[in-house]
Amino acid sequence: QVQLVESGGGLVQAGTSLRLSCAASEPTFSTYPMGWFRQAPGKEREFVAAISGGGGNTRYADSVKGRFTISRDSAKNTVYLQMNSLKPEDTAVYYCAAKAVWDTIVLVTTSYAMDYWGKGTLVTVSS
């Protein structure tokens, strides 16, 4: 069973940083486009960041651009989300997701297009 497991969430103060990790259970994920999404209480799931299978292309939601950085370590089958200058409005459950396609260039930014999802990790930012 293919799995994505997120970690690194927690309770932090505004202005600080966190790094989320998403570990994939199989090496095939090293070439899949992947992304981070989040869902705040009472809101719909929204796109945060995406990275191509080769790691050379990235895209961010306007709300996190300049503060968050997505990256991947293919040797470790892991995708990261470095979150700096956190704000209370960043509070949400963060999910990583993967699109099952062997493509080193394409970015996937829509949740309905993703094939695999982790269970999420909670990030709470206090003011």
Side-chain angles (χ1 to χ4, degrees):
Q1 181 71 23
V2 172
Q3 286 187 328
L4 297 174
V5 180
E6 303 96 336
S7 61
L11 172 63
V12 297
Q13 289 189 330
T16 60
S17 300
L18 273 179
R19 188 176 79 157
L20 304 183
S21 299
C22 173
S25 61
E26 296 187 3
T28 49
F29 279 88
S30 65
T31 59
Y32 288 175
M34 296 188 69
W36 287 95
F37 297 78
R38 67 186 181 186
Q39 187 167 16
K43 295 187 177 181
E44 294 186 352
R45 190 171 299 186
E46 64 175 1
F47 166 72
V48 175
I51 189 165
S52 59
N57 294 329
T58 58
R59 187 170 296 169
Y60 300 91
D62 288 342
S63 59
V64 306
K65 201 172 295 183
R67 300 188 298 122
F68 290 11
T69 303
I70 188 171
S71 62
R72 68 192 304 160
D73 185 336
S74 296
K76 296 182 178 180
N77 299 327
T78 301
V79 173
Y80 303 98
L81 185 67
Q82 178 66 44
M83 305 186 295
N84 299 329
S85 302
L86 282 162
K87 304 175 180 180
E89 50 263 45
D90 294 319
T91 294
V93 177
Y94 284 72
Y95 300 90
C96 73
K99 174 68 176 177
V101 59
W102 287 8
D103 192 304
T104 60
I105 299 175
V106 71
L107 290 167
V108 181
T109 61
T110 52
S111 59
Y112 61 80
M114 293 299 194
D115 297 307
Y116 299 104
W117 289 87
K119 293 183 178 181
T121 185
L122 177 63
V123 173
T124 304
V125 184
S126 63
S127 57

